[in-house]
Amino acid sequence: MPAKARALETYRGVVYPWHIDHIGPMNVEFYTARFDEATWHFLAAIGITPAYLKANGRGMAAVDQHTRYKEELHAGALIRITSELLEIKPKTVRFRHRMYNSETGVEVAVIDMVGVHLDTATRRSVPLPQDILERAQARTTP
């Protein structure tokens, strides 16, 4: 049986009026921004912290993402995001974010992403350190 990821809460926020587009719900730009903010908390939880990236001349680049919008959000909605590791390889991390309406508990959007670990000077992919790979694996349960 494959390992199941343990979800981690990585974001809480609110939909503000300026997040709304001309037809009424939150614009996709702001879904993407919230998922981006959740990504940095998720990566930090597995050891890819801002301090690690800066000290080692490393970065993370999104190379694939698929978003599914399931329900609209409107001004005033409280939102939360959970994140789970789907797969980690020597140079890549694949994960999923789920966005919820905090008041109703309804899942409103899901995004699957793949990030590549890279050297910021050469802009080439490089292997993740062993301790980060091990920490990420610990986020899953058999």
Side-chain angles (χ1 to χ4, degrees), residues 51-104:
Y52 160 78
L53 294 170
K54 186 176 181 178
N56 294 282
R58 299 294 184 249
M60 292 296 293
V63 295
D64 190 35
Q65 60 186 47
H66 299 275
T67 306
R68 293 172 303 287
Y69 301 99
K70 300 169 82 174
E71 296 279 336
E72 294 179 338
L73 288 169
H74 298 277
L78 301 174
I79 58 176
R80 71 181 179 88
I81 297 173
T82 63
S83 306
E84 56 196 88
L85 177 69
L86 299 177
E87 179 180 47
I88 190 157
K89 292 182 176 179
K91 297 180 182 181
T92 63
V93 181
R94 188 168 64 92
F95 53 97
R96 175 174 294 144
H97 294 308
R98 297 176 188 273
M99 182 182 291
Y100 297 91
N101 178 318
S102 295
E103 188 174 2
T104 66

